[in-house]
Amino acid sequence: MAKIPFLEVFGPTIQGEGMVIGKKTMFLRTYGCDYGCAWCDTAYTWDGSEKHNVRRGTAEEVFELLKETAGDKSFGHVTVSGGNPALIGRAMQEFIDICHDNGVKVALETQGSLWKDWFTDIDDLTISPKPPSSTMKTNFKMLDNIIEKLEDANVNYSLKIVYFNEEDKQYAKDVFKRYRDLGYDIPYYLSVGNAEPYTDKDITRQLIDKLDELWQVVIDEPAFNDVQALPQLHTIVWGNMRGV
């Protein structure tokens, strides 16, 4: 049977970023990624450092684990993150179907490097192409194809770009303009980057200062008139703690 490779199941918690920020959700963190971003805050999902902790379960087993983890706390929303969950095929479609059969909505984030037909069944889909600070290169032919398919299927999705520096700002301007010029009415997000994703020290002040910087960028740029600039709310509250 098809299985989902994963490292973490936790919650209920509060989604800290993107289009469903502030929402109560369970988390499923899958294993594996086709990228290796320089500032990745979950590099353990792809760098091999926690390969020994990877579990594999069928869609039904993973859903049952979510229920077991939640205990007597109810939930109606699951966030699938990674790594890149788009590496997973039939097992993810089965997981989405089981969630929907149980009245649970599914959110998922991916960088837009791969297409999966099950994207059209995601309730809250975040496409997050990676800016220059990541050291990754965007395949715009693939990203264009993904956006076109999502538009045709009328999926609830957004574009989110992480901001660290001036190069990232220009990248975001170019990406958002690319899809505006095609006539797509997409929710656009800019998100503060976390420069120290593995430190144990208090990073709240650093993140708030970076948010202040990002807000000023958005205020100053006409190209960002329709953009929402968001914090990584969970890191402001909990720092780099895992499993929250």
Side-chain angles (χ1 to χ4, degrees):
M1 298 180 68
K3 294 190 175 183
I4 297 171
F6 66 98
L7 274 175
E8 295 176 319
V9 167
F10 59 91
T13 186
I14 302 298
Q15 173 59 260
E17 58 187 322
M19 64 191 294
V20 288
I21 189 169
K23 191 174 188 68
K24 178 181 175 180
T25 189
M26 296 294 291
F27 260 85
L28 167 63
R29 191 174 305 285
T30 64
Y31 185 77
C33 194
D34 51 326
Y35 272 23
C37 295
W39 37 250
C40 180
D41 58 3
T42 56
Y44 54 87
T45 62
W46 51 264
D47 67 4
S49 62
E50 294 200 20
K51 189 174 182 180
H52 58 289
N53 290 326
V54 176
R55 291 177 282 175
R56 290 174 172 80
T58 64
E60 185 174 352
E61 288 169 343
V62 172
F63 188 76
E64 289 301 315
L65 180 58
L66 284 164
K67 291 197 298 181
E68 179 184 322
T69 302
D72 59 0
K73 298 175 183 176
S74 65
F75 64 94
H77 192 270
V78 174
T79 298
V80 183
S81 189
N84 184 7
L87 291 169
I88 301 168
R90 179 164 56 88
M92 186 58 67
Q93 178 69 70
E94 293 170 354
F95 176 74
I96 296 164
D97 292 343
I98 288 174
C99 286
H100 288 167
D101 288 346
N102 285 272
V104 175
K105 291 186 176 181
V106 181
L108 184 138
E109 181 167 330
T110 181
Q111 59 261 40
S113 59
L114 299 165
W115 168 261
K116 285 291 188 291
D117 287 343
W118 49 254
F119 282 3
T120 60
D121 291 326
I122 298 293
D123 300 286
D124 306 300
L125 178 62
T126 297
I127 305 296
S128 183
K130 305 309 178 187
S133 62
S134 72
T135 70
M136 299 293 103
K137 299 294 184 182
T138 301
N139 180 344
F140 280 103
K141 183 177 180 181
M142 173 60 71
L143 186 58
D144 289 349
N145 181 53
I146 289 171
I147 298 297
E148 183 178 357
K149 288 181 176 180
L150 295 176
E151 287 288 321
D152 289 344
N154 197 30
V155 176
N156 178 37
Y157 78 101
S158 66
L159 275 174
K160 185 189 80 173
I161 294 175
V162 176
Y163 164 84
F164 278 94
N165 55 36
E166 187 72 20
E167 279 188 299
D168 293 350
K169 180 185 82 171
Q170 187 58 52
Y171 174 87
K173 288 170 69 173
D174 293 342
V175 170
F176 295 161
K177 183 179 186 299
R178 183 185 191 93
Y179 297 109
R180 285 192 207 102
D181 287 350
L182 289 171
Y184 298 147
D185 184 20
I186 305 170
Y188 299 109
Y189 294 90
L190 283 169
S191 181
V192 170
N194 180 359
E196 296 188 74
Y198 302 106
T199 184
D200 292 330
K201 71 181 183 182
D202 185 354
I203 58 174
T204 301
R205 183 73 260 166
Q206 172 188 313
L207 292 168
I208 290 175
D209 288 345
K210 197 66 180 179
L211 181 61
D212 181 39
E213 177 186 324
L214 175 58
W215 279 1
Q216 195 59 53
V217 165
V218 171
I219 289 167
D220 291 343
E221 291 282 353
F224 294 145
N225 284 353
D226 59 348
V227 171
Q228 291 176 254
L230 299 178
Q232 277 195 325
L233 191 58
H234 56 293
T235 54
I236 291 175
V237 176
W238 291 314
N240 292 319
M241 189 183 305
R242 284 175 60 173
V244 294

